[in-house]
Structures are given as structure tokens and as C-alpha cells.
Amino acid sequence: NRFEVIEWLHKFVNNYDSNKNQKGLYLYGNFGCGKTYLVSAMFNELAHRNIKSAIIYWPEYLRDLKSSFDTDFKDKFEYIKKVPLLLIDDIGAESVTSWSRDEILGPILQYRMQESLPTFFTSNLDIKALELHLSMSKEGIENIKAKRIIERISQLSEIKTMISKNLRK
């Protein structure tokens, strides 16, 4: 099913100039099947047209953001909220805290939804498993807060599966 994903990404690129407010993609599948690679290739193609994008490895972005409280936290946070194209890579691989879910991810997705900014996600988790993952934090099980995030992801993106052999081997 890589072909279906490649077709979808190709269509996105072809339609971008006439519709900058297209939905992004929530792409999930097994480890190493090329999810991030394909979305990155599409961003690279659009970069040739001077279209800005950002790719953030979600667990590392959260660590980096947390360590930047005393320096450039606001700049890093605002840039990701507002960049024309965003890939949140490996969502679901992070340790969930109410801060990361409710104070960081929620506001990023809310802003991008309000502004109709294309947002892409890669994950090893299907959307139901991601909801379960986001509901469990140190504070306990918070189903409503997780559903809020999933609702925003669903508004921002189409959901596709990509299963393939692990290409990293």
C-alpha cells in the first residue's frame, strides 16, 4: 500500500499551489516502512517552490522544548504552530504527560486547525491505539483529554495505513 500513499502525496503536491489549506495525513504502520521518508520527500519537493516546512521528531521536540524554558521556548513553540507545513513524526512514542498533551500538543493542533495549516503525522499506532496512549499519563486515565486531541488530528488529516517490510534492516 505504499503506492496508495505515494499517489496521495503526489496529489497533495499538485494541488498545493491552488489549495494551501488541504488536509494533511495521519500515516501509521510498522517500524521502518518509510512513512517519514515519504512525507519528507514530499516536503523536499515543495521546498523547491520555497514553501517552508518543519519535521519534528515528537519525543525529542518535547525534551528540547522543556529544556528551553529559560531561553527560546516561545520562539520554538510559535514556529511549529505557524509553519506552513508540519510533520509530527513518531507521535505515540513519547511518554505522555498532561503538559505535553494539554499545554503543547493541544494548542499546536488547535492553532493549525483554526488556520487550516496542513499537518502530517507518522506513528506506529493506529488512531484508536493513539487515543488510548494519549489517555494515560502520570495523572491517571484522562479519556476526554485524549479524545480532544484525536478529534483535532481527525480534523487536520486523512488517515492512511502503510505496512511494508522494515527497510532499515
Side-chain angles (χ1 to χ4, degrees):
N1 54 2
R2 287 175 68 99
F3 184 73
E4 180 185 340
V5 172
I6 292 168
E7 274 188 325
W8 190 98
L9 295 170
H10 184 71
K11 183 178 173 188
F12 183 92
V13 168
N14 287 341
N15 293 333
Y16 187 78
D17 289 333
S18 62
N19 183 7
K20 291 179 177 33
N21 304 104
Q22 300 176 73
K23 275 189 169 192
L25 186 63
Y26 181 89
L27 186 57
Y28 71 94
N30 59 297
F31 298 104
C33 68
K35 300 177 297 291
T36 304
Y37 179 84
L38 289 178
V39 177
S40 299
M42 183 196 72
F43 280 14
N44 189 46
E45 181 65 30
L46 290 167
H48 293 302
R49 299 188 212 163
N50 295 317
I51 297 161
K52 291 190 184 307
S53 63
I55 299 170
I56 53 173
Y57 175 63
W58 187 242
E60 182 63 29
Y61 176 74
L62 292 172
R63 284 189 290 275
D64 189 41
L65 206 53
K66 193 179 285 187
S67 70
S68 72
F69 280 138
D70 295 330
T71 55
D72 57 349
F73 173 88
K74 186 174 186 200
D75 293 337
K76 288 178 179 184
F77 183 66
E78 290 297 315
Y79 181 79
I80 292 306
K81 273 177 37 179
K82 296 176 179 179
V83 68
L85 295 170
L86 175 64
L87 169 58
I88 298 176
D89 184 34
D90 220 0
I91 190 168
E94 76 284 2
S95 295
V96 176
T97 64
S98 56
W99 174 79
S100 66
R101 182 193 56 221
D102 306 334
E103 304 298 322
I104 304 302
L105 183 58
I108 288 170
L109 299 181
Q110 181 66 29
Y111 180 87
R112 296 187 69 78
M113 194 172 73
Q114 288 172 333
E115 299 299 317
S116 300
L117 294 171
T119 309
F120 294 77
F121 307 85
T122 62
S123 184
N124 298 119
L125 304 175
D126 67 27
I127 204 78
K128 289 277 189 208
L130 181 64
E131 183 176 339
L132 179 63
H133 172 75
L134 291 170
S135 72
M136 295 184 280
S137 69
K138 294 173 186 167
E139 290 78 21
I141 297 175
E142 300 176 298
N143 291 324
I144 299 298
K145 291 182 178 188
K147 284 183 187 308
R148 219 177 263 135
I149 298 296
I150 296 302
E151 175 62 26
R152 283 161 179 73
I153 289 172
S154 298
Q155 289 293 313
L156 284 164
S157 60
E158 293 183 30
I159 299 169
K160 294 210 173 289
T161 311
M162 193 167 90
I163 306 293
S164 176
K165 67 180 180 179
N166 187 338
L167 301 172
R168 291 186 195 137
K169 291 182 178 181

